Amino acid sequence: MFADAPETTGRPAPGPVAALREIGFWLERGREQTHRVKAYRRAADIVAGLDDDELRRRREARNWQELAGIGPKTAAVIEEACAGVVPRYLAELRAAARPIGAAGAQLRARLRGDLHTHSDWSDGGSPIAEMMGCAAALGHEYCALTDHSPRLTVANGLSAQRLRRQLDMIAELNAELAPFRVLTGIEVDILADGSLDQDADLLAELDIVVASVHSRLRDDRDTMTRRMVYAVANPHVDVLGHCTGRLVEGGRGTRPESDFDAEIVFEACRRYGTAVEINSRPERQDPPDRLIRLALEMGCEFAVDTDAHAPGQLDWQGYGCARAVACEVPPDRIINTRSADELLEWTRLGGD
Ligand SMILES: [Zn+2]
Ligand SMILES: [Zn+2]
């Protein structure tokens, strides 16, 4: 598992495709700008698409840069990997990687999966297979794919038809990746009236439904409380995503918390068996500590999720774990410490 950088030195050197992808992983994990990461991921795809003949010819001729999308930096990585050594840039990234959320390490070791991730079917940067392959490499037993719902057009949200196609693809992928399990899912928008942005029969088929507010974040307190309670009480909803909508840092700027009556919303979460998400993204850190503590006191359950939009971001779970530990959330109140079967049993129960 490549997340433990210092321990990996004894492993055989990766081939060119694996080396380029691992560079992508470390850059994403380190919160690098996506355009820097893209060059490496694109180069990996290009090399992966070559047939054996062409690979051999280019290895001998060392003319990788003739290929559109391969520049001097990616060519150097390919050449070093072809020579059977760990490319210098990859070795540097491995050596420079620091543990994420050290205070949460024990809890992180108990998490068996991630319940909120995105692929390039909506606004993520990588194909489903790469996201899930990385989740498995990080030691997860399962990972839910929760791409956006149709009305979030800026994020290329999935129509019912596209989501159905995605379910077929996941069924095939599950056959390949077993015993690792890709859980089907969605991050469904909570609409202005609290209803959900996808057909109820389709939501009923999914393993994990994360419901989040992405629009009208400045609704007044009563309206927002009503919207959220209505969504949380929906029998298909399993997790309430990034509940305050705040942004505390990063390229998108900052955004204040939405205004809602947290006691009423968390009581609905407890009553209807909807987990409160602890969103691990560094720019979200949502909910804030005081609300994690309130939800805990009120008897809610939690999901520590990454909301990853790239494979390397799947390793951000440590940030959320550190926050859960700081707020003294016990592991048995975190639904993704459970096995996939226990988790799916829990989602079927839906509250007391
Ligand atoms: Zn979201
Ligand atoms: Zn998301």
PDB file of all heavy atoms in Angstrom, residues 228-243:
ATOM      1  N   MET A 228     -33.584  20.721   5.656  1.00  0.00           N
ATOM      2  CA  MET A 228     -32.661  19.672   6.096  1.00  0.00           C
ATOM      3  C   MET A 228     -33.400  18.553   6.831  1.00  0.00           C
ATOM      4  O   MET A 228     -33.112  17.376   6.625  1.00  0.00           O
ATOM      5  CB  MET A 228     -31.546  20.280   6.949  1.00  0.00           C
ATOM      6  CG  MET A 228     -30.614  21.161   6.110  1.00  0.00           C
ATOM      7  SD  MET A 228     -29.422  22.099   7.089  1.00  0.00           S
ATOM      8  CE  MET A 228     -28.250  20.830   7.473  1.00  0.00           C
ATOM      9  N   VAL A 229     -34.357  18.930   7.681  1.00  0.00           N
ATOM     10  CA  VAL A 229     -35.115  17.900   8.423  1.00  0.00           C
ATOM     11  C   VAL A 229     -35.887  17.016   7.438  1.00  0.00           C
ATOM     12  O   VAL A 229     -35.908  15.789   7.559  1.00  0.00           O
ATOM     13  CB  VAL A 229     -36.071  18.547   9.450  1.00  0.00           C
ATOM     14  CG1 VAL A 229     -37.079  17.528   9.983  1.00  0.00           C
ATOM     15  CG2 VAL A 229     -35.271  19.164  10.594  1.00  0.00           C
ATOM     16  N   TYR A 230     -36.486  17.645   6.452  1.00  0.00           N
ATOM     17  CA  TYR A 230     -37.269  16.915   5.467  1.00  0.00           C
ATOM     18  C   TYR A 230     -36.379  15.894   4.731  1.00  0.00           C
ATOM     19  O   TYR A 230     -36.763  14.733   4.531  1.00  0.00           O
ATOM     20  CB  TYR A 230     -37.872  17.922   4.490  1.00  0.00           C
ATOM     21  CG  TYR A 230     -39.022  17.399   3.681  1.00  0.00           C
ATOM     22  CD1 TYR A 230     -40.204  16.995   4.285  1.00  0.00           C
ATOM     23  CD2 TYR A 230     -38.927  17.327   2.287  1.00  0.00           C
ATOM     24  CE1 TYR A 230     -41.268  16.524   3.525  1.00  0.00           C
ATOM     25  CE2 TYR A 230     -39.983  16.858   1.520  1.00  0.00           C
ATOM     26  CZ  TYR A 230     -41.143  16.458   2.142  1.00  0.00           C
ATOM     27  OH  TYR A 230     -42.181  15.986   1.388  1.00  0.00           O
ATOM     28  N   ALA A 231     -35.174  16.333   4.373  1.00  0.00           N
ATOM     29  CA  ALA A 231     -34.247  15.449   3.656  1.00  0.00           C
ATOM     30  C   ALA A 231     -33.744  14.321   4.561  1.00  0.00           C
ATOM     31  O   ALA A 231     -33.719  13.155   4.182  1.00  0.00           O
ATOM     32  CB  ALA A 231     -33.062  16.257   3.120  1.00  0.00           C
ATOM     33  N   VAL A 232     -33.351  14.690   5.777  1.00  0.00           N
ATOM     34  CA  VAL A 232     -32.790  13.729   6.737  1.00  0.00           C
ATOM     35  C   VAL A 232     -33.815  12.647   7.094  1.00  0.00           C
ATOM     36  O   VAL A 232     -33.479  11.490   7.325  1.00  0.00           O
ATOM     37  CB  VAL A 232     -32.333  14.509   7.987  1.00  0.00           C
ATOM     38  CG1 VAL A 232     -32.298  13.649   9.210  1.00  0.00           C
ATOM     39  CG2 VAL A 232     -30.981  15.176   7.729  1.00  0.00           C
ATOM     40  N   ALA A 233     -35.103  13.047   7.108  1.00  0.00           N
ATOM     41  CA  ALA A 233     -36.168  12.106   7.469  1.00  0.00           C
ATOM     42  C   ALA A 233     -36.547  11.203   6.302  1.00  0.00           C
ATOM     43  O   ALA A 233     -37.256  10.208   6.487  1.00  0.00           O
ATOM     44  CB  ALA A 233     -37.396  12.886   7.941  1.00  0.00           C
ATOM     45  N   ASN A 234     -36.077  11.531   5.098  1.00  0.00           N
ATOM     46  CA  ASN A 234     -36.377  10.696   3.936  1.00  0.00           C
ATOM     47  C   ASN A 234     -35.771   9.304   4.140  1.00  0.00           C
ATOM     48  O   ASN A 234     -34.587   9.182   4.444  1.00  0.00           O
ATOM     49  CB  ASN A 234     -35.780  11.356   2.681  1.00  0.00           C
ATOM     50  CG  ASN A 234     -36.174  10.634   1.410  1.00  0.00           C
ATOM     51  OD1 ASN A 234     -35.918   9.447   1.262  1.00  0.00           O
ATOM     52  ND2 ASN A 234     -36.816  11.358   0.515  1.00  0.00           N
ATOM     53  N   PRO A 235     -36.581   8.268   4.002  1.00  0.00           N
ATOM     54  CA  PRO A 235     -36.070   6.919   4.310  1.00  0.00           C
ATOM     55  C   PRO A 235     -34.893   6.481   3.440  1.00  0.00           C
ATOM     56  O   PRO A 235     -34.157   5.572   3.818  1.00  0.00           O
ATOM     57  CB  PRO A 235     -37.284   6.011   4.094  1.00  0.00           C
ATOM     58  CG  PRO A 235     -38.275   6.818   3.339  1.00  0.00           C
ATOM     59  CD  PRO A 235     -38.008   8.254   3.646  1.00  0.00           C
ATOM     60  N   HIS A 236     -34.682   7.096   2.282  1.00  0.00           N
ATOM     61  CA  HIS A 236     -33.569   6.690   1.423  1.00  0.00           C
ATOM     62  C   HIS A 236     -32.239   7.307   1.843  1.00  0.00           C
ATOM     63  O   HIS A 236     -31.177   6.867   1.415  1.00  0.00           O
ATOM     64  CB  HIS A 236     -33.844   7.064  -0.035  1.00  0.00           C
ATOM     65  CG  HIS A 236     -35.089   6.452  -0.562  1.00  0.00           C
ATOM     66  ND1 HIS A 236     -35.328   5.103  -0.469  1.00  0.00           N
ATOM     67  CD2 HIS A 236     -36.181   6.999  -1.154  1.00  0.00           C
ATOM     68  CE1 HIS A 236     -36.518   4.844  -0.991  1.00  0.00           C
ATOM     69  NE2 HIS A 236     -37.056   5.978  -1.397  1.00  0.00           N
ATOM     70  N   VAL A 237     -32.294   8.356   2.663  1.00  0.00           N
ATOM     71  CA  VAL A 237     -31.056   9.086   2.983  1.00  0.00           C
ATOM     72  C   VAL A 237     -30.310   8.396   4.120  1.00  0.00           C
ATOM     73  O   VAL A 237     -30.889   8.080   5.158  1.00  0.00           O
ATOM     74  CB  VAL A 237     -31.371  10.557   3.344  1.00  0.00           C
ATOM     75  CG1 VAL A 237     -30.116  11.279   3.835  1.00  0.00           C
ATOM     76  CG2 VAL A 237     -31.943  11.278   2.125  1.00  0.00           C
ATOM     77  N   ASP A 238     -29.001   8.187   3.904  1.00  0.00           N
ATOM     78  CA  ASP A 238     -28.166   7.519   4.911  1.00  0.00           C
ATOM     79  C   ASP A 238     -27.206   8.468   5.611  1.00  0.00           C
ATOM     80  O   ASP A 238     -26.851   8.255   6.759  1.00  0.00           O
ATOM     81  CB  ASP A 238     -27.339   6.407   4.235  1.00  0.00           C
ATOM     82  CG  ASP A 238     -28.229   5.434   3.485  1.00  0.00           C
ATOM     83  OD1 ASP A 238     -29.170   4.900   4.107  1.00  0.00           O
ATOM     84  OD2 ASP A 238     -28.007   5.221   2.278  1.00  0.00           O
ATOM     85  N   VAL A 239     -26.743   9.488   4.879  1.00  0.00           N
ATOM     86  CA  VAL A 239     -25.721  10.381   5.421  1.00  0.00           C
ATOM     87  C   VAL A 239     -26.085  11.826   5.067  1.00  0.00           C
ATOM     88  O   VAL A 239     -26.469  12.107   3.924  1.00  0.00           O
ATOM     89  CB  VAL A 239     -24.318  10.057   4.816  1.00  0.00           C
ATOM     90  CG1 VAL A 239     -23.251  11.024   5.328  1.00  0.00           C
ATOM     91  CG2 VAL A 239     -23.904   8.611   5.115  1.00  0.00           C
ATOM     92  N   LEU A 240     -25.957  12.728   6.040  1.00  0.00           N
ATOM     93  CA  LEU A 240     -26.125  14.160   5.775  1.00  0.00           C
ATOM     94  C   LEU A 240     -24.742  14.737   5.480  1.00  0.00           C
ATOM     95  O   LEU A 240     -23.876  14.770   6.354  1.00  0.00           O
ATOM     96  CB  LEU A 240     -26.752  14.851   6.998  1.00  0.00           C
ATOM     97  CG  LEU A 240     -26.833  16.384   6.940  1.00  0.00           C
ATOM     98  CD1 LEU A 240     -27.724  16.868   5.789  1.00  0.00           C
ATOM     99  CD2 LEU A 240     -27.345  16.945   8.273  1.00  0.00           C
ATOM    100  N   GLY A 241     -24.509  15.155   4.219  1.00  0.00           N
ATOM    101  CA  GLY A 241     -23.176  15.614   3.785  1.00  0.00           C
ATOM    102  C   GLY A 241     -22.886  17.039   4.226  1.00  0.00           C
ATOM    103  O   GLY A 241     -23.797  17.862   4.311  1.00  0.00           O
ATOM    104  N   HIS A 242     -21.597  17.313   4.509  1.00  0.00           N
ATOM    105  CA  HIS A 242     -21.090  18.663   4.862  1.00  0.00           C
ATOM    106  C   HIS A 242     -22.197  19.638   5.267  1.00  0.00           C
ATOM    107  O   HIS A 242     -22.503  20.590   4.551  1.00  0.00           O
ATOM    108  CB  HIS A 242     -20.216  19.246   3.752  1.00  0.00           C
ATOM    109  CG  HIS A 242     -20.781  19.222   2.344  1.00  0.00           C
ATOM    110  ND1 HIS A 242     -21.845  19.988   1.958  1.00  0.00           N
ATOM    111  CD2 HIS A 242     -20.401  18.536   1.241  1.00  0.00           C
ATOM    112  CE1 HIS A 242     -22.099  19.783   0.672  1.00  0.00           C
ATOM    113  NE2 HIS A 242     -21.236  18.892   0.217  1.00  0.00           N
ATOM    114  N   CYS A 243     -22.745  19.456   6.478  1.00  0.00           N
ATOM    115  CA  CYS A 243     -24.036  20.067   6.824  1.00  0.00           C
ATOM    116  C   CYS A 243     -24.060  21.587   6.866  1.00  0.00           C
ATOM    117  O   CYS A 243     -25.102  22.183   6.608  1.00  0.00           O
ATOM    118  CB  CYS A 243     -24.575  19.479   8.129  1.00  0.00           C
ATOM    119  SG  CYS A 243     -23.585  19.857   9.586  1.00  0.00           S
TER     120      CYS A 243
END
